[in-house]
Amino acid sequence: MRRAGRFIQIAFLGRRLGIVLTRGGDVLPPFPPFLVQQSRSRQHNASGEITDLLPAHAIAAITALFMTAIIFWMNQSIMRTQKFPPLAVVLHWLFAVLILWGIFSGFYAALGKPSQAVFNWISFINVSATALFTPLFFFRVIYRMTFRAPPLTQLSTPNIVLAKSVQVLIYSMALLSFVSGWLMMSRPVNIFNLIHIPQPLHDPRALAMWASIHFYSNVLLAGFVFLHVAGVLKHQLVGKRILQRMAF
């Protein structure tokens, strides 16, 4: 019954997400609304009236069914083992690589005094990657709330509380880094030379504020990532197989 109730909640969330994404036929791109103009999926019928190509409720129902089916499949592995489900593992290591790259390349670009060509290349890669991974980040957060993590039976209660607190702070700082990275842009956002999104803000004071927030959020993110990695390695070295929970 508890499992059925959870899937009903997921389906309801999916339906609401579908409605938000459509808003009665106005299909929004996977970016914040202030970055891009809304695109409309409409056509004129024989009488000249505008009709929706795909009604909002149809998209909402499809979204609900898709989310329910995918999350049900993903949760099967966590019911059978003490490991995270495969998709959670993929998302974890994917974002681990992205965050580590962003931390090291970002601080090198800001403090290492690279050549202008190298600086432009790092900025181009980081902005494009952030644009692509921001929607996936929100999916990961929603997905993570749909299942219980494998129990940390080998750790004491204070260590469990500390580990979970650091994880929440990593999520929070990563989100703040993504958002501030968008808002600090002083030029149109170029995504791998495929998509160009208008500059979100133009006030120099606002741009400077978000640039400062971006820098310090990444400083905090780097610190919390260090604590997370150090904690995992410490427990791993004393024989507590923590890392295996996030393995295939």
Side-chain angles (χ1 to χ4, degrees):
M1 291 296 294
R2 182 182 300 176
R3 189 185 307 172
R6 176 171 293 179
F7 290 138
I8 291 173
Q9 292 176 350
I10 295 169
F12 179 76
L13 176 62
R15 183 178 182 276
R16 297 302 305 168
L17 178 61
I19 292 174
V20 170
L21 291 175
T22 56
R23 289 186 179 177
D26 290 343
V27 180
L28 299 180
F31 301 106
F34 52 79
L35 295 181
V36 289
Q37 296 179 346
Q38 298 182 4
S39 62
R40 298 179 179 273
S41 297
R42 297 187 174 185
Q43 63 178 359
H44 292 272
N45 59 19
S47 63
E49 297 177 350
I50 297 177
T51 60
D52 292 328
L53 289 176
L54 190 57
H57 290 290
I59 296 179
I62 293 171
T63 305
L65 290 174
F66 177 78
M67 289 184 64
T68 304
I70 291 298
I71 295 176
F72 176 82
W73 172 79
M74 292 185 297
N75 282 345
Q76 297 310 301
S77 63
I78 204 169
M79 298 172 189
R80 295 191 299 265
T81 85
Q82 293 302 305
K83 295 182 178 181
F84 280 90
L87 183 60
V89 176
V90 171
L91 291 173
H92 175 272
W93 293 113
L94 187 63
F95 276 94
V97 172
L98 176 67
I99 289 173
L100 289 174
W101 160 259
I103 290 173
F104 285 108
S105 64
F107 281 121
Y108 173 69
L111 306 175
K113 298 181 180 180
S115 66
Q116 189 62 44
V118 172
F119 179 89
N120 291 340
W121 181 82
I122 291 175
S123 177
F124 173 73
I125 295 297
N126 286 356
V127 169
S128 299
T130 299
L132 292 179
F133 280 95
T134 296
L136 191 59
F137 176 85
F138 286 105
F139 171 78
R140 184 190 179 193
V141 172
I142 294 173
Y143 167 52
R144 178 60 187 84
M145 293 187 295
T146 63
F147 65 87
R148 288 181 177 273
L152 290 165
T153 55
Q154 304 177 70
L155 300 186
S156 64
T157 300
N159 279 334
I160 293 175
V161 172
L162 178 61
K164 291 185 177 181
S165 299
V166 170
Q167 290 173 5
V168 171
L169 289 169
I170 288 175
Y171 273 98
S172 302
M173 290 303 104
L175 176 60
L176 185 57
S177 175
F178 288 163
V179 172
S180 60
W182 277 100
L183 297 179
M184 66 178 277
M185 293 297 296
S186 58
R187 61 184 183 279
V189 180
N190 178 7
I191 306 175
F192 292 117
N193 290 325
L194 299 175
I195 302 174
H196 293 80
I197 302 175
Q199 176 183 339
L201 299 176
H202 297 273
D203 184 352
R205 292 174 298 177
L207 294 176
M209 179 191 72
W210 284 109
S212 180
I213 292 175
H214 184 69
F215 177 81
Y216 288 108
S217 65
N218 278 287
V219 171
L220 292 173
L221 177 61
F224 293 135
V225 168
F226 173 80
L227 289 176
H228 178 66
V229 174
V232 171
L233 292 178
K234 180 256 185 183
H235 292 300
Q236 196 74 16
L237 291 174
V238 298
K240 299 176 182 179
R241 299 169 63 83
I242 303 299
L243 194 57
Q244 277 66 23
R245 299 164 71 246
M246 197 58 76
F248 291 102

